[in-house]
Amino acid sequence: MLVYLIRRIAQAMLVIAVMATLVFFAVYAIGNPIDVLASPQADQIELAAISQRLGLDRPLWEQFGIFVGNALRGDLGTSFVYAEPAAKLILQRLPATFELAFTALAIAVFLGIPLGVYAGLNPDSLGGRAVMGGSILGFSLPNFWQGLMLILVFAVILGWLPAGGRGQTATFLGIESALFTLDGLKHLILPALNLALFKMALVIRLARAGTREVALQDYVRFARAKGLSRSRIVGVHILKNILIPVVTILGLELGSMIAFAVVTETVFSYPGMGKLLIDSIGRLDRPIVVAYLMLTVVIFVVINLVVDIIYAAIDPRVRLSEVKG
Amino acid sequence: MTDTAAPANAALSAPPPVLDAGEALWKRHALNFLKSPAAVIGLVILTVMIVLALAAPWITPQNPYDLAQLDILDGTLAPGSKNATYGYTYWLGTDDQGRDMLSGIIYGLRISLTVGVVATLIALTIGTSLGVAAAYAGGRFDTILMRIVDLQLSFPGILVALVLLAAFGRGIDKVIVSLVIVQWAYYARTVRGSALVERRREYIEAARCLALPRSRVIFKHLLPNCLPPLIVVATVQVAHAIALEATLSFLGVGVPVTEPSLGMLIAKGYHYLLSGKYWIATFPGIALVIAIIAINLVGDRLRDVLNPRLSH
């Protein structure tokens, strides 16, 4: 197990290093930020002063060396626009994005599993078919379009919920979150639902396929023969057995939710990391783009690593084949 | 996704298609395809959309990008309003610059479909070549290629494309390149999977025993037998590519303002949505959604027809 662990961690570090290099060179190929930052009236001397202050006058490989050295110390550069550390700016917005992602995850699980189980138990009923049809739409329609339609229906036509922004936050048990105020919750519902729809479609499919398979097993038949109530069979015997694949997939999908939050946050003008990324790309604020990507890569690699290690802990075949190969 | 994993073993027991003398395989597939009404509707809609997109310059009431034909006074007119000068009707309203939305949508469809199809074809070619080569060559090349595929597929496509476009800048060609980079890995993995199975079949052994050149074995014997699953994946990926392009353009990193795809039209209308001028964003969106659903209907049916073992 220890050998496997060391191998996997070394691999993860390698991935982070490769991605850091790729990201740095890709992002620093974007046009010259001085054109955007300096006033159009600035003369040559002023331009040179600005580019010296931002370190843009040095050769690319030297900039890369500085970037790597600083990154190892946790310093991911200073934003051109805000003149504040990029990592700090992103971390400030992290709670808003996590709040959104976890609420969306909760919606996907607590709506998706019951709907999927229902569709699995009644595959040929009208309701079951409607659920499956809805999940295909959730899968195939672009996320931003679903968001726009949510705004059009619930904010513009019905006027029930606000169309964008993050509501008031409150501090509870030392955590500042919009989940603790009514205003915050109101602002959170639409974006979270938007982000949840795609994953919900996935959960519905998994839960439906699992239910159809499990419902035919002998132990379910036996439970029925014993005269257990339908709710107990579904709630205990079926539900427990379909949860394993659902939980595995959702663990992996958490990372992609943070990536898709970029789209949702832009649609709903929600002040999270993703909105910051899109704004920074538009303003050529490279340090923020690089810092965001590095942070996301680390989040992804850590999630994958944790899932792999849990797998190896549960299933000895995985770690044995890895060591041999 | 998960449905496909379980019945993989059933492939062995599925009987090979028996053809009568003189019956072409594609004919049987075509007839089979037409048995599903949903797929036929999808195909008809798709054909109509392609024809509209191709014929755009001749059928639209207005060339939406010829500034001489635009009248700023006709800006943000509701659907059904009339053009003051020429008297034609804006069936779907106008945008802020007095552009006829119907004409804009047909031209936008043109760009969206082109980007989706071209990107998919290039990615298909690159991914297939690499995948077949990996399966045939095996060894280190195979290992390294599949590691790259795994690495790439572990990051969401939207994020990869976003980074690439942030680096490249806007442009139709750049969007296509990004989509190709995002998508090739799917094809490489799909084709490698089926090529590994086909490689061990007797006809490949026979071809090798005849001492045919390696390229001939790969392209004439191995590749055609790996095509069915690829066609299915490629059809669905066209829809993905169109959706991804629309998303990127909506985020402001995709196509330039001068060549608006459907996603760009939606992005421009987004600001008017809140003030109740729903048509600017909604109608391009509906066109986008119809195109994506039509492609998915066709793709689903193709999967059932070409790959009976995958249906359930």
Side-chain angles (χ1 to χ4, degrees):
Chain A
M1 187 67 195
L2 190 66
V3 180
Y4 175 75
L5 208 64
I6 293 169
R7 273 179 71 111
R8 276 305 277 113
I9 291 174
Q11 271 176 15
M13 304 295 265
L14 184 72
V15 169
I16 292 177
V18 170
M19 294 306 285
T21 315
L22 286 178
V23 163
F24 179 87
F25 284 104
V27 170
Y28 274 62
I30 312 178
N32 195 344
I34 293 180
D35 301 341
V36 181
L37 293 168
S39 74
Q41 289 94 26
D43 56 23
Q44 281 302 317
I45 302 168
E46 280 171 345
L47 285 181
I50 293 173
S51 87
Q52 196 187 3
R53 185 164 57 81
L54 299 175
L56 297 168
D57 53 342
R58 311 211 188 124
L60 194 58
W61 60 267
E62 205 175 307
Q63 288 187 37
F64 181 61
I66 296 170
F67 166 73
V68 172
N70 288 339
L72 289 176
R73 276 180 266 126
D75 173 8
L76 289 165
T78 306
S79 160
F80 295 160
V81 177
Y82 298 95
E84 276 192 72
K88 186 183 147 204
L89 285 166
I90 291 171
L91 290 177
Q92 275 173 357
R93 299 197 173 209
L94 195 70
T97 298
F98 271 33
E99 198 173 281
L100 184 64
F102 280 108
T103 311
L105 198 65
I107 294 177
V109 170
F110 292 114
L111 277 180
I113 291 182
L115 286 173
V117 170
Y118 170 77
L121 292 173
N122 315 289
D124 295 318
S125 71
L126 196 66
R129 281 169 186 270
V131 168
M132 281 317 282
S135 93
I136 291 172
L137 290 185
F139 253 136
S140 51
L141 297 188
N143 212 262
F144 76 97
W145 170 250
Q146 296 172 352
L148 285 183
M149 287 301 99
L150 287 176
I151 291 182
L152 185 63
V153 172
F154 292 102
V156 178
I157 297 178
L158 296 173
W160 290 352
L161 293 163
R166 189 184 184 209
Q168 284 176 344
T169 58
T171 310
F172 182 68
L173 297 176
I175 305 166
E176 195 191 359
S177 166
L179 288 171
F180 306 134
T181 66
L182 188 64
D183 184 51
L185 281 175
K186 272 187 177 173
H187 280 84
L188 195 59
I189 293 177
L190 285 185
L193 189 62
N194 179 215
L195 192 57
L197 278 174
F198 185 83
K199 301 300 166 210
M200 200 160 91
L202 191 68
V203 171
I204 287 176
R205 298 206 141 198
L206 286 172
R208 176 179 177 267
T211 305
R212 293 191 70 178
E213 205 178 301
V214 171
L216 299 174
Q217 300 288 326
D218 286 342
Y219 55 80
V220 172
R221 231 179 264 177
F222 179 68
R224 218 185 269 158
K226 233 171 35 170
L228 291 184
S229 71
R230 187 176 159 87
S231 61
R232 188 167 167 83
I233 296 176
V234 173
V236 177
H237 297 271
I238 292 184
L239 200 60
K240 264 190 188 171
N241 286 288
I242 62 167
L243 279 183
I244 302 159
V246 172
V247 170
T248 318
I249 296 285
L250 281 180
L252 287 171
E253 294 284 332
L254 186 64
S256 86
M257 260 190 169
I258 290 166
F260 270 98
V262 173
V263 179
T264 299
E265 286 174 9
T266 309
V267 173
F268 289 91
S269 314
Y270 187 87
M273 294 159 41
K275 183 90 172 65
L276 182 67
L277 172 74
I278 293 294
D279 293 345
S280 301
I281 289 178
R283 288 191 292 235
L284 299 183
D285 195 351
R286 292 168 184 168
I288 292 201
V289 177
V290 172
Y292 172 90
L293 292 171
M294 286 317 302
L295 204 74
T296 316
V297 167
V298 171
I299 292 176
F300 268 78
V301 169
V302 168
I303 291 176
N304 281 343
L305 185 66
V306 170
V307 171
D308 277 1
I309 290 174
I310 292 175
Y311 264 150
I314 297 171
D315 189 347
R317 281 172 301 183
V318 176
R319 59 174 186 264
L320 289 178
S321 73
E322 275 278 327
V323 171
K324 260 188 275 168
Chain B
M1 245 181 288
T2 47
D3 299 345
T4 60
N9 291 329
L12 300 172
S13 55
V18 180
L19 295 175
D20 303 330
E23 188 188 3
L25 187 61
W26 67 265
K27 215 172 186 177
R28 166 177 287 205
H29 284 331
L31 286 176
N32 221 340
F33 181 91
L34 295 177
K35 277 183 198 154
S36 154
V40 173
I41 294 172
L43 191 64
V44 170
I45 293 175
L46 201 57
T47 316
V48 170
M49 284 191 147
I50 293 171
V51 171
L52 283 179
L54 288 176
W58 298 283
I59 55 168
T60 55
Q62 182 193 65
N63 177 354
Y65 306 111
D66 179 2
L67 293 177
Q69 292 186 29
L70 300 185
D71 187 348
I72 196 87
L73 294 176
D74 278 358
T76 62
L77 288 179
S81 312
K82 291 241 188 265
N83 177 303
T85 327
Y86 303 101
Y88 59 80
T89 310
Y90 297 121
W91 290 112
L92 301 182
T94 60
D95 72 0
D96 50 342
Q97 291 167 41
R99 196 171 277 150
D100 175 33
M101 284 315 293
L102 180 63
S103 310
I105 288 170
I106 295 176
Y107 272 85
L109 198 59
R110 204 176 194 193
I111 294 172
S112 291
L113 288 177
T114 310
V115 170
V117 172
V118 172
T120 303
L121 285 181
I122 300 176
L124 180 69
T125 313
I126 296 176
T128 308
S129 317
L130 288 173
V132 168
Y136 197 83
R140 187 164 289 174
F141 178 64
D142 187 33
T143 314
I144 292 175
L145 192 78
M146 284 304 122
R147 273 285 149 87
I148 297 175
V149 167
D150 284 342
L151 180 65
Q152 201 187 322
L153 292 184
S154 70
F155 292 95
I158 175 109
L159 206 60
V160 177
L162 206 57
V163 178
L164 291 169
L165 283 169
F168 296 155
R170 287 178 169 200
I172 289 185
D173 49 342
K174 289 158 189 158
V175 172
I176 291 177
V177 171
S178 308
L179 291 180
V180 168
I181 296 177
V182 169
Q183 292 195 325
W184 72 273
Y186 292 101
Y187 302 110
R189 176 176 279 182
T190 308
V191 79
R192 177 179 172 271
S194 43
L196 278 180
V197 175
E198 295 295 329
R199 201 171 77 110
R200 281 186 235 115
R201 294 265 162 95
E202 285 91 346
Y203 67 90
I204 297 291
E205 210 172 302
R208 276 166 139 175
C209 288
L210 290 172
L212 294 178
R214 186 181 278 194
S215 61
R216 196 181 152 88
V217 177
I218 293 179
F219 288 108
K220 284 269 175 181
H221 298 267
L222 188 56
L223 196 53
N225 287 291
C226 301
L227 279 183
L230 267 184
I231 295 172
V232 175
V233 173
T235 319
V236 179
Q237 286 293 330
V238 172
H240 278 184
I242 291 175
L244 194 53
E245 181 276 322
T247 306
L248 292 166
S249 298
F250 177 79
L251 291 176
V253 293
V255 298
V257 190
T258 48
E259 292 166 294
S261 65
L262 292 175
M264 180 60 103
L265 291 176
I266 298 170
K268 283 203 285 185
Y270 166 61
H271 304 287
Y272 292 93
L273 195 64
L274 296 178
S275 49
K277 298 193 166 90
Y278 64 90
W279 59 90
I280 307 177
T282 309
F283 290 127
I286 291 174
L288 178 71
V289 165
I290 292 176
I292 290 173
I293 292 178
I295 295 173
N296 274 315
L297 287 176
V298 173
D300 268 6
R301 186 62 192 160
L302 278 179
R303 170 172 22 234
D304 294 346
V305 170
L306 293 177
N307 237 347
R309 67 184 107 131
L310 286 184
S311 59
H312 39 95

